[in-house]
Every structure is written in structure tokens, then in C-alpha cells.
Amino acid sequence: MDGPSGVGKSTVARSLERFLAGRGRTVTCTTEPSGAAIGRLARFGTHEFHGRALSCLVAADRYHHVDTVVAPALERGEVVVCDRYLPSSLVLDQLDGRQGIAHLVGVQLGL
């Protein structure tokens, strides 16, 4: 789920989780930046980190998050509902005046 801050993504994610669970699906509901150490740094370090450094922190958190939360849940056959993902990162990078879109996609996708 992607979108600007304050539009209800977390509320919709929790509602979707309850809806799917009520139909017998096992759901992992998560968010980005994640609650892992690097995710907390990316989320709460925005007064210190900007531009490429913040983009790289967010991307590093995504790699860790996919490896430790998303992929294992999918391998177990669970549905993963994520509050923010790559599209949000690309939009926020542009709003922060960061590099051009080709560079941002490369950083976020590890190219």
C-alpha cells in the first residue's frame, strides 16, 4: 500500500489484514521503513540524513526487510500487506529534491 502521509494507509492495511484473516488467510502486516534498527534510523534520522544517504538507508532497510520478513512470510504461503514500499520511496525522494528518477530506481533496486 502506498500513498502520502496521513491518508489512512495504516488503517486500510489493518482492515485488509482483518478481512483476509477472517477468510482463513494467514497475513503478515508490515511497514516501511521497518521496525528494524536500520529502518528506525531511516524513519527517525531524517533531521540528520538527507538526499542520497537517506535514499540508501531506506533501500538498505528494504533489502533487510524483504530478506527477514517479506520473503519468509511468502515462502510460508502467507499474504503480505505492507504499509509503503518502493513507489513511496521514489515519490518521497523526488519531493526531497534528490537525484533523478533513473538514479533513484537504481539505488532502490540495487542496480
Side-chain angles (χ1 to χ4, degrees):
M1 232 164 270
D2 281 287
S5 296
V7 297
K9 292 179 305 297
S10 299
T11 301
V12 171
R14 286 189 303 273
S15 294
L16 180 58
E17 178 183 24
R18 285 190 303 273
F19 174 83
L20 293 169
R23 280 149 184 78
R25 300 301 304 262
T26 303
V27 181
T28 295
C29 200
T30 187
T31 187
E32 286 194 4
S34 74
I38 197 162
R40 290 190 310 272
L41 181 60
R43 184 180 296 271
F44 301 112
T46 56
H47 60 282
E48 184 175 348
F49 299 102
H50 303 280
R52 189 178 320 174
L54 185 56
S55 293
C56 289
L57 276 174
V58 171
D61 178 57
R62 179 168 302 110
Y63 296 134
H64 180 264
H65 186 235
V66 167
D67 289 347
T68 61
V69 176
V70 176
L74 292 174
E75 289 169 7
R76 292 188 302 268
E78 298 176 14
V79 175
V80 176
V81 177
C82 188
D83 179 344
R84 288 204 171 143
Y85 199 67
L86 180 61
S88 288
S89 295
L90 296 175
V91 168
L92 291 172
D93 285 346
Q94 289 293 305
L95 291 174
D96 193 34
R98 296 180 207 151
Q99 305 290 322
I101 193 74
H103 174 266
L104 297 172
V105 170
V107 167
Q108 295 295 333
L109 295 178
L111 302 176

